[in-house]
Amino acid sequence: AADLSKVYRVAFGTAETSFDPARVSDLYSNTVNEAIFERLLTYDYLARPAKLVPMVAEAMPAVTDGGRTYTFHIRKGIFFTPDPAFKGVKRELVAADFAYTIKRHADPKNRSPWAFMIEGRIAGLDKLIADAKKTGKFDYDAKIPGLETPDPYTLVIRLVAPDFLFNYSMAHVPFGAMAREVVEAYGNQIMEHPVGTGPFRLAEWRRSSRIVLERNPGYREDYYDERAPADDPRSQAIAAQLKGRRMPMLDRVEVVI
């Protein structure tokens, strides 16, 4: 069982900017976001060389059509941290949340520093971007061939050309899933209200001074099960010490700038 008395205190050398994944590019803001938002894929922390593994996806995606189509299946029973924007409803993570998150990076209004990772790559997305630049409004409800959700737990991403490295984009921290109703509820203040499915939630923020994260009380059952390389005794010792512990292993993180 996790020790609820454990508090990790850390100092950031530079101030954060905000906690809207689509609008920040600095290390420290993304360090906090990584504890709050979850992606389809992540990295096997101890693997050498680097290796991708599922995060909220059930498994690695099926890559078909010569590297043009990626099909992800989302794990069921993952929920967002409770927030007033959900109006008392327990909100499950679904495939549409990832489609929406990708579109947020494409929305010119957000000036996402990560837009280059999806522009010119996802079928139909560039037209949405061009239309938004003309009209001043991004159409989040528009159907495009590059982002389809045939059922609540399936996301199909179709690319304009083969790309066998696309998985690495989906493992990037800024592509952690966001709920549309949260973004719309807070508007321009969304940077102060990060709501994800991850192990922590933002409990306190004094800009450029103090950040406090608290354990997400509704976080799913997740147990440490990393596998260390056979030729790395130090990593093997870490993995053996932590194996079977419920995540997260901390109750609170206190950050000073």
Side-chain angles (χ1 to χ4, degrees), residues 52-69:
L52 293 179
V53 292
M55 192 171 200
V56 300
E58 288 185 343
M60 296 299 292
V63 183
T64 56
D65 192 24
R68 290 183 175 86
T69 301

Side-chain angles (χ1 to χ4, degrees), residues 58-79:
E58 288 185 343
M60 296 299 292
V63 183
T64 56
D65 192 24
R68 290 183 175 86
T69 301
Y70 285 70
T71 302
F72 294 88
H73 296 286
I74 312 299
R75 291 165 58 185
K76 299 177 182 178
I78 296 177
F79 295 89

Side-chain angles (χ1 to χ4, degrees), residues 37-42 53-59 72-76 78 93-94 98 153 175-177 197-198 219-220:
F37 298 98
E38 293 184 300
R39 292 94 68 202
L40 289 162
L41 307 174
T42 187
V53 292
M55 192 171 200
V56 300
E58 288 185 343
F72 294 88
H73 296 286
I74 312 299
R75 291 165 58 185
K76 299 177 182 178
I78 296 177
L93 174 70
V94 293
F98 283 102
Y153 304 103
F175 289 94
T197 61
Y219 190 61
R220 63 187 178 278

Side-chain angles (χ1 to χ4, degrees), residues 33-213:
N33 282 342
E34 188 168 13
I36 296 173
F37 298 98
E38 293 184 300
R39 292 94 68 202
L40 289 162
L41 307 174
T42 187
Y43 286 86
D44 182 337
Y45 188 74
L46 296 177
R48 300 293 184 274
K51 176 185 176 183
L52 293 179
V53 292
M55 192 171 200
V56 300
E58 288 185 343
M60 296 299 292
V63 183
T64 56
D65 192 24
R68 290 183 175 86
T69 301
Y70 285 70
T71 302
F72 294 88
H73 296 286
I74 312 299
R75 291 165 58 185
K76 299 177 182 178
I78 296 177
F79 295 89
F80 283 93
T81 303
D83 187 87
F86 298 132
K87 299 179 180 179
V89 176
K90 192 175 182 181
R91 173 62 155 80
E92 188 177 17
L93 174 70
V94 293
D97 295 317
F98 283 102
Y100 172 72
T101 297
I102 291 171
K103 287 179 178 180
R104 283 202 75 229
H105 284 279
D107 187 344
K109 178 184 66 177
N110 291 327
R111 299 181 180 180
S112 173
W114 309 108
F116 75 93
M117 298 182 75
I118 53 174
E119 289 177 341
R121 299 177 78 185
I122 297 177
L125 190 58
D126 283 7
K127 183 179 185 305
L128 278 186
I129 296 172
D131 290 345
K133 289 179 179 179
K134 291 179 182 178
T135 64
K137 184 177 180 179
F138 192 93
D139 186 359
Y140 284 94
D141 296 312
K143 305 293 184 182
I144 61 172
L147 291 172
E148 294 185 348
T149 54
D151 64 67
Y153 304 103
T154 302
L155 173 67
V156 180
I157 301 178
R158 292 187 173 87
L159 307 179
V160 298
D163 184 355
F164 289 97
L165 297 178
F166 186 73
N167 275 339
Y168 291 92
S169 297
M170 294 299 95
H172 195 38
V173 172
F175 289 94
M178 300 184 76
R180 181 172 180 175
E181 55 265 56
V182 172
V183 176
E184 293 180 348
Y186 292 109
N188 291 332
Q189 280 70 51
I190 187 60
M191 64 181 65
E192 304 169 16
H193 299 275
V195 177
T197 61
F200 291 94
R201 62 183 179 184
L202 183 66
E204 180 184 344
W205 181 30
R206 297 205 299 267
R207 187 181 291 275
S208 304
S209 175
R210 176 178 169 84
I211 304 166
V212 176
L213 301 176

